[in-house]
mmCIF file of all heavy atoms in Angstrom:
data_model
loop_
_atom_site.group_PDB
_atom_site.id
_atom_site.type_symbol
_atom_site.label_atom_id
_atom_site.label_comp_id
_atom_site.label_asym_id
_atom_site.label_seq_id
_atom_site.Cartn_x
_atom_site.Cartn_y
_atom_site.Cartn_z
ATOM 1 N N GLU S 106 -9.672 5.669 -4.933
ATOM 2 C CA GLU S 106 -10.561 4.528 -4.695
ATOM 3 C C GLU S 106 -12.019 4.966 -4.575
ATOM 4 O O GLU S 106 -12.916 4.303 -5.062
ATOM 5 C CB GLU S 106 -10.150 3.755 -3.430
ATOM 6 C CG GLU S 106 -11.133 2.620 -3.169
ATOM 7 C CD GLU S 106 -10.664 1.567 -2.187
ATOM 8 O OE1 GLU S 106 -9.756 1.840 -1.397
ATOM 9 O OE2 GLU S 106 -11.245 0.473 -2.222
ATOM 10 N N ASP S 123 -5.297 5.905 -2.333
ATOM 11 C CA ASP S 123 -6.212 5.123 -1.500
ATOM 12 C C ASP S 123 -6.270 5.845 -0.152
ATOM 13 O O ASP S 123 -5.291 5.844 0.601
ATOM 14 C CB ASP S 123 -5.688 3.690 -1.323
ATOM 15 C CG ASP S 123 -6.730 2.802 -0.659
ATOM 16 O OD1 ASP S 123 -7.686 3.343 -0.079
ATOM 17 O OD2 ASP S 123 -6.587 1.569 -0.722
ATOM 18 N N LEU S 125 -7.914 5.217 2.536
ATOM 19 C CA LEU S 125 -7.940 4.345 3.713
ATOM 20 C C LEU S 125 -7.732 2.909 3.252
ATOM 21 O O LEU S 125 -8.668 2.231 2.818
ATOM 22 C CB LEU S 125 -9.300 4.491 4.442
ATOM 23 C CG LEU S 125 -9.568 3.538 5.604
ATOM 24 C CD1 LEU S 125 -8.478 3.600 6.656
ATOM 25 C CD2 LEU S 125 -10.926 3.838 6.244
ATOM 26 N N ASP S 126 -6.484 2.462 3.300
ATOM 27 C CA ASP S 126 -6.190 1.082 2.932
ATOM 28 C C ASP S 126 -6.156 0.260 4.216
ATOM 29 O O ASP S 126 -5.452 0.611 5.169
ATOM 30 C CB ASP S 126 -4.840 0.981 2.207
ATOM 31 C CG ASP S 126 -4.587 -0.439 1.746
ATOM 32 O OD1 ASP S 126 -5.391 -0.953 0.953
ATOM 33 O OD2 ASP S 126 -3.602 -1.040 2.198
ATOM 34 N N GLY S 127 -6.954 -0.816 4.232
ATOM 35 C CA GLY S 127 -7.120 -1.576 5.476
ATOM 36 C C GLY S 127 -8.460 -1.218 6.103
ATOM 37 O O GLY S 127 -8.599 -1.142 7.333
ATOM 38 N N THR S 128 -9.461 -1.010 5.252
ATOM 39 C CA THR S 128 -10.782 -0.564 5.725
ATOM 40 C C THR S 128 -11.387 -1.555 6.729
ATOM 41 O O THR S 128 -12.004 -1.143 7.715
ATOM 42 C CB THR S 128 -11.752 -0.420 4.530
ATOM 43 O OG1 THR S 128 -11.039 0.167 3.444
ATOM 44 C CG2 THR S 128 -12.938 0.427 4.874
ATOM 45 N N THR S 129 -11.207 -2.846 6.479
ATOM 46 C CA THR S 129 -11.807 -3.844 7.387
ATOM 47 C C THR S 129 -11.175 -3.744 8.777
ATOM 48 O O THR S 129 -11.869 -3.842 9.797
ATOM 49 C CB THR S 129 -11.648 -5.266 6.800
ATOM 50 O OG1 THR S 129 -12.151 -5.249 5.463
ATOM 51 C CG2 THR S 129 -12.422 -6.284 7.600
ATOM 52 N N GLY S 195 -2.444 -11.017 0.862
ATOM 53 C CA GLY S 195 -3.854 -10.760 1.153
ATOM 54 C C GLY S 195 -4.618 -11.986 0.708
ATOM 55 O O GLY S 195 -4.433 -12.463 -0.412
ATOM 56 N N PHE S 198 -11.354 -12.263 0.087
ATOM 57 C CA PHE S 198 -12.508 -12.473 0.973
ATOM 58 C C PHE S 198 -13.785 -12.264 0.171
ATOM 59 O O PHE S 198 -13.752 -11.811 -0.978
ATOM 60 C CB PHE S 198 -12.440 -11.495 2.151
ATOM 61 C CG PHE S 198 -12.186 -10.074 1.710
ATOM 62 C CD1 PHE S 198 -13.236 -9.232 1.375
ATOM 63 C CD2 PHE S 198 -10.882 -9.598 1.613
ATOM 64 C CE1 PHE S 198 -12.998 -7.939 0.946
ATOM 65 C CE2 PHE S 198 -10.637 -8.302 1.171
ATOM 66 C CZ PHE S 198 -11.695 -7.469 0.834
ATOM 67 N N ARG S 201 -14.298 -13.784 -3.603
ATOM 68 C CA ARG S 201 -13.533 -13.341 -4.780
ATOM 69 C C ARG S 201 -12.894 -14.533 -5.500
ATOM 70 O O ARG S 201 -12.445 -15.485 -4.864
ATOM 71 C CB ARG S 201 -12.452 -12.354 -4.366
ATOM 72 C CG ARG S 201 -13.050 -11.036 -3.920
ATOM 73 C CD ARG S 201 -11.988 -9.981 -3.881
ATOM 74 N NE ARG S 201 -12.517 -8.779 -3.265
ATOM 75 C CZ ARG S 201 -11.768 -7.731 -2.943
ATOM 76 N NH1 ARG S 201 -10.486 -7.749 -3.175
ATOM 77 N NH2 ARG S 201 -12.314 -6.670 -2.397
ATOM 78 N N ARG S 223 -1.162 -12.120 7.251
ATOM 79 C CA ARG S 223 -2.250 -11.514 6.488
ATOM 80 C C ARG S 223 -2.810 -10.413 7.394
ATOM 81 O O ARG S 223 -3.705 -10.657 8.206
ATOM 82 C CB ARG S 223 -3.306 -12.590 6.190
ATOM 83 C CG ARG S 223 -4.280 -12.238 5.099
ATOM 84 C CD ARG S 223 -5.398 -11.317 5.538
ATOM 85 N NE ARG S 223 -6.349 -11.119 4.427
ATOM 86 C CZ ARG S 223 -6.366 -10.022 3.694
ATOM 87 N NH1 ARG S 223 -5.513 -9.031 3.934
ATOM 88 N NH2 ARG S 223 -7.261 -9.883 2.729
ATOM 89 N N GLY S 225 -3.995 -7.300 6.387
ATOM 90 C CA GLY S 225 -5.152 -6.541 5.901
ATOM 91 C C GLY S 225 -4.905 -5.155 5.360
ATOM 92 O O GLY S 225 -5.851 -4.392 5.213
ATOM 93 N N SER S 226 -3.651 -4.817 5.047
ATOM 94 C CA SER S 226 -3.394 -3.556 4.351
ATOM 95 C C SER S 226 -2.251 -3.778 3.361
ATOM 96 O O SER S 226 -1.091 -3.905 3.761
ATOM 97 C CB SER S 226 -3.033 -2.432 5.330
ATOM 98 O OG SER S 226 -2.412 -1.358 4.621
ATOM 99 N N ALA S 227 -2.600 -3.818 2.083
ATOM 100 C CA ALA S 227 -1.586 -4.065 1.052
ATOM 101 C C ALA S 227 -0.522 -2.969 1.064
ATOM 102 O O ALA S 227 0.671 -3.249 0.896
ATOM 103 C CB ALA S 227 -2.260 -4.141 -0.316
ATOM 104 N N GLU S 244 0.282 -10.610 -3.905
ATOM 105 C CA GLU S 244 -1.176 -10.615 -3.805
ATOM 106 C C GLU S 244 -1.782 -10.615 -5.194
ATOM 107 O O GLU S 244 -1.272 -9.998 -6.122
ATOM 108 C CB GLU S 244 -1.688 -9.409 -2.992
ATOM 109 C CG GLU S 244 -3.196 -9.491 -2.753
ATOM 110 C CD GLU S 244 -3.718 -8.615 -1.622
ATOM 111 O OE1 GLU S 244 -2.908 -8.023 -0.893
ATOM 112 O OE2 GLU S 244 -4.955 -8.541 -1.487
ATOM 113 N N GLY S 246 -5.384 -9.911 -7.418
ATOM 114 C CA GLY S 246 -6.676 -9.228 -7.380
ATOM 115 C C GLY S 246 -6.666 -7.945 -6.569
ATOM 116 O O GLY S 246 -7.637 -7.659 -5.860
ATOM 117 N N ILE S 247 -5.606 -7.148 -6.644
ATOM 118 C CA ILE S 247 -5.626 -5.852 -5.958
ATOM 119 C C ILE S 247 -5.630 -4.716 -6.988
ATOM 120 O O ILE S 247 -5.411 -4.923 -8.177
ATOM 121 C CB ILE S 247 -4.482 -5.672 -4.932
ATOM 122 C CG1 ILE S 247 -3.114 -5.803 -5.573
ATOM 123 C CG2 ILE S 247 -4.636 -6.634 -3.783
ATOM 124 C CD1 ILE S 247 -2.009 -5.373 -4.616
ATOM 125 N N ASP S 251 -3.980 0.414 -4.236
ATOM 126 C CA ASP S 251 -3.462 -0.349 -3.085
ATOM 127 C C ASP S 251 -1.930 -0.433 -3.136
ATOM 128 O O ASP S 251 -1.278 -0.551 -2.106
ATOM 129 C CB ASP S 251 -3.965 -1.808 -3.111
ATOM 130 C CG ASP S 251 -5.472 -1.928 -3.071
ATOM 131 O OD1 ASP S 251 -6.091 -1.247 -2.262
ATOM 132 O OD2 ASP S 251 -6.026 -2.741 -3.861
HETATM 133 C C1 IPD C 1020 -7.675 -3.958 0.792
HETATM 134 C C2 IPD C 1020 -6.442 -4.206 1.648
HETATM 135 C C3 IPD C 1020 -6.199 -5.692 1.829
HETATM 136 C C4 IPD C 1020 -6.091 -6.411 0.501
HETATM 137 C C5 IPD C 1020 -7.297 -6.131 -0.368
HETATM 138 C C6 IPD C 1020 -7.524 -4.627 -0.530
HETATM 139 P P1 IPD C 1020 -9.085 -1.733 1.323
HETATM 140 O O1 IPD C 1020 -7.885 -2.588 0.572
HETATM 141 O O2 IPD C 1020 -5.304 -3.637 1.060
HETATM 142 O O3 IPD C 1020 -5.004 -5.963 2.530
HETATM 143 O O4 IPD C 1020 -5.962 -7.784 0.745
HETATM 144 O O5 IPD C 1020 -7.065 -6.721 -1.635
HETATM 145 O O6 IPD C 1020 -8.686 -4.409 -1.301
HETATM 146 O O7 IPD C 1020 -10.357 -2.292 0.802
HETATM 147 O O8 IPD C 1020 -8.904 -1.956 2.762
HETATM 148 O O9 IPD C 1020 -8.815 -0.338 0.882
#
Side-chain angles (χ1 to χ4, degrees):
E106 177 165 20
D123 189 344
L125 173 55
D126 184 60
T128 319
T129 308
F198 49 88
R201 290 195 189 172
R223 197 280 184 258
S226 163
E244 186 162 352
I247 59 170
D251 300 314

